[in-house]
Amino acid sequence: MPIRTRTTLLLAAALTAGGLTGCSGLAGLAGYKDCGGSEERVRSLGALAILDAPPEKATPPRGYEKVDAGCWDDSGEAWVYASRTYAFPGTPEEVLRHYGTEASGDGWHPGPARPPVPGKGIGLCFTRDVDGTPTVLKVYSLTRESFAAEGGAFPPELATGSGFRVEATADASGEPMDCAS
C-alpha cells in the first residue's frame, strides 16, 4: 500500500476515534489536553471556602459578585480555575496579611515569595491538594494594567483602596502544579 494511502487511512482512523470519544483525534495525537469531563473539578474549586473569605469590609465590584469558574484549554494544556475579585478600602499589604493567615488555617502551604512585578501588583501563592488534585491558590493585587492585559474595563470600585483577586487553579488532568506554574 502506498505511503500516501496509509497516511490518509491513519489520519481518518484518528479523526474517527476522536469523534467517537468526544476528543479531537488530531489533538490526541499531539498530546493536547482538553476540558472534557472537568465539570466536577470546576465545581469543587468554585466551592472553596477561601474564595469567600475576604478581609472585613471587602466587597465584590459590580459585575464580579459571583465566583468566576471554568476550564480553558487554548494553550495545549487544560486548566480548571475559580476566582473572586474584591475591592478593599485598605492596603494591599493588609489583604496579603489576611490571606496569609486564612490560607494557612485552611491547609494551604505558602510557596516561594516573589518580588512584585511592575504593573502586576503584589501577591502570595499557596499550594494544596483539593480532592486529591495539586492546586495553586494565588492572591494578588489588581492594577489598571493587569485589567487592561485581561481585556477588561477597570471597575470604578477598585479606583480607591485596593483591588485584589483570589484564584485557585489546577491542571485539568491532575498533573502536579506549584507556584511557578
Side-chain angles (χ1 to χ4, degrees):
M1 182 180 292
I3 288 181
R4 178 179 273 178
T5 303
R6 280 187 290 201
T7 303
T8 302
L9 288 174
L10 179 60
L11 182 58
L15 290 173
T16 301
L20 293 173
T21 62
C23 299
S24 166
L26 288 177
L29 288 175
Y32 185 85
K33 299 173 188 173
D34 66 20
C35 288
S38 66
E39 296 82 8
E40 182 58 37
R41 296 186 62 215
V42 169
R43 275 191 292 280
S44 180
L45 287 185
L48 289 172
I50 194 81
L51 296 176
D52 290 316
E56 191 174 326
K57 298 183 183 174
T59 58
R62 182 178 297 146
Y64 294 89
E65 294 86 1
K66 296 181 181 179
V67 171
D68 176 24
C71 181
W72 69 91
D73 60 6
D74 62 351
S75 66
E77 297 290 326
W79 307 92
V80 291
Y81 70 91
S83 69
R84 290 294 307 260
T85 300
Y86 293 99
F88 178 64
T91 67
E93 292 77 16
E94 289 174 282
V95 171
L96 298 181
R97 272 194 304 276
H98 170 79
Y99 277 102
T101 301
E102 287 291 317
S104 293
D106 195 29
W108 294 90
H109 308 285
R114 289 198 207 170
V117 176
K120 296 281 186 184
I122 60 174
L124 295 173
C125 184
F126 302 88
T127 60
R128 180 183 113 183
D129 277 5
V130 174
D131 297 332
T133 301
T135 304
V136 170
L137 177 73
K138 292 183 180 179
V139 179
Y140 54 94
S141 61
L142 297 169
T143 65
R144 288 186 187 279
E145 293 86 358
S146 63
F147 259 87
E150 294 175 0
F154 193 71
E157 297 94 332
L158 303 183
T160 59
S162 304
F164 66 95
R165 183 165 292 142
V166 182
E167 180 178 77
T169 309
D171 183 292
S173 66
E175 293 295 317
M177 289 187 65
D178 60 30
C179 286
S181 298

